Amino acid sequence: MKEFTFEHTYKFNEDEYAELFKITWPMSWPIRPTIKKIIMIAVCISLFFSKYTIGIGILLLVIIIFYFRLPKSSMWVNKKNFREIRYLQYKITYGINEKQYWIKSKLFEATATWKNLKIYKERLGWLLLISDGIPTVCLPIKKLKKNNIYDDVTKLCKKHGEKDNHTDE
């Protein structure tokens, strides 16, 4: 693998941060979300017509409401976290090379080798590197491609981490 170094400095705003880190679901259905909701609720309501299945219907309805509300609730939590995490209030430099990745801000620096990568995912134009003991490293995919290192970076990700394929519904 060729040697490379890439750094990107960025300051997220509250809405960008909340959207980037909101909960997404691994289940992807080939139908529109509105139709999916209607089908799920119709199944629950159909269980209300028998005294033997009404309990199951109520339980399923509660689960479905939780399923559809959780991503919106996570936005509120992410916004709260953004306001409380001090280093997010400053510009952050995210960097990578063929041996490690790092994050630097006015308040701290953290570095991890590729062996520490647990999960990587592409979301909203960002490549997110998630590990234990270091905040998520956010790399803009367009700039990685522009610098001709996107393929090298994704090879390192595939070698050391697990891809998160959750959908963006």
Side-chain angles (χ1 to χ4, degrees):
M1 175 169 295
K2 70 180 181 183
E3 291 184 13
F4 64 88
T5 298
F6 174 81
E7 281 194 334
H8 175 71
T9 302
Y10 193 76
K11 179 175 182 330
F12 285 101
N13 67 42
E14 186 176 299
D15 291 330
E16 288 174 321
Y17 180 85
E19 185 66 32
L20 187 61
F21 290 99
K22 84 174 180 181
I23 293 174
T24 57
W25 297 110
M27 185 186 299
S28 179
W29 295 4
I31 56 176
R32 293 177 185 232
T34 305
I35 296 172
K36 183 182 356 176
K37 289 176 188 176
I38 291 169
I39 291 170
M40 291 175 136
I41 291 170
V43 168
C44 288
I45 291 172
S46 71
L47 295 171
F48 287 6
F49 296 113
S50 167
K51 66 180 178 179
Y52 301 108
T53 59
I54 193 165
I56 295 169
I58 291 170
L59 179 64
L60 279 176
L61 190 59
V62 168
I63 291 169
I64 288 169
I65 290 169
F66 179 76
Y67 174 87
F68 287 112
R69 291 295 309 153
L70 191 59
K72 290 181 179 153
S73 299
S74 76
M75 292 287 287
W76 176 82
V77 171
N78 289 340
K79 287 181 178 189
K80 183 177 180 287
N81 287 342
F82 179 87
R83 290 188 298 270
E84 291 178 358
I85 298 172
R86 289 182 26 214
Y87 73 84
L88 290 173
Q89 309 313 311
Y90 303 97
K91 287 184 178 181
I92 300 172
T93 299
Y94 303 97
I96 53 171
N97 63 30
E98 70 283 352
K99 295 177 186 162
Q100 61 191 11
Y101 50 97
W102 60 88
I103 179 172
K104 298 177 189 176
S105 82
K106 185 177 182 179
L107 302 176
F108 80 101
E109 294 182 20
T111 303
T113 63
W114 283 101
K115 291 178 186 174
N116 291 330
L117 181 66
K118 291 193 110 176
I119 297 170
Y120 69 96
K121 64 180 172 179
E122 294 183 11
R123 182 151 163 66
L124 304 174
W126 294 88
L127 176 63
L128 306 176
L129 308 178
I130 303 165
S131 329
D132 290 332
I134 177 174
T136 301
V137 173
C138 306
L139 304 165
I141 293 171
K142 279 185 183 178
K143 290 193 176 185
L144 293 174
K145 288 180 177 180
K146 184 179 177 183
N147 287 288
N148 296 317
I149 60 170
Y150 175 77
D151 291 335
D152 295 326
V153 174
T154 54
K155 283 179 190 173
L156 286 165
C157 289
K158 288 174 185 173
K159 181 178 178 182
H160 297 287
E162 183 178 319
K163 185 166 186 175
D164 181 346
N165 290 315
H166 290 179
T167 63
D168 280 341
E169 292 183 26

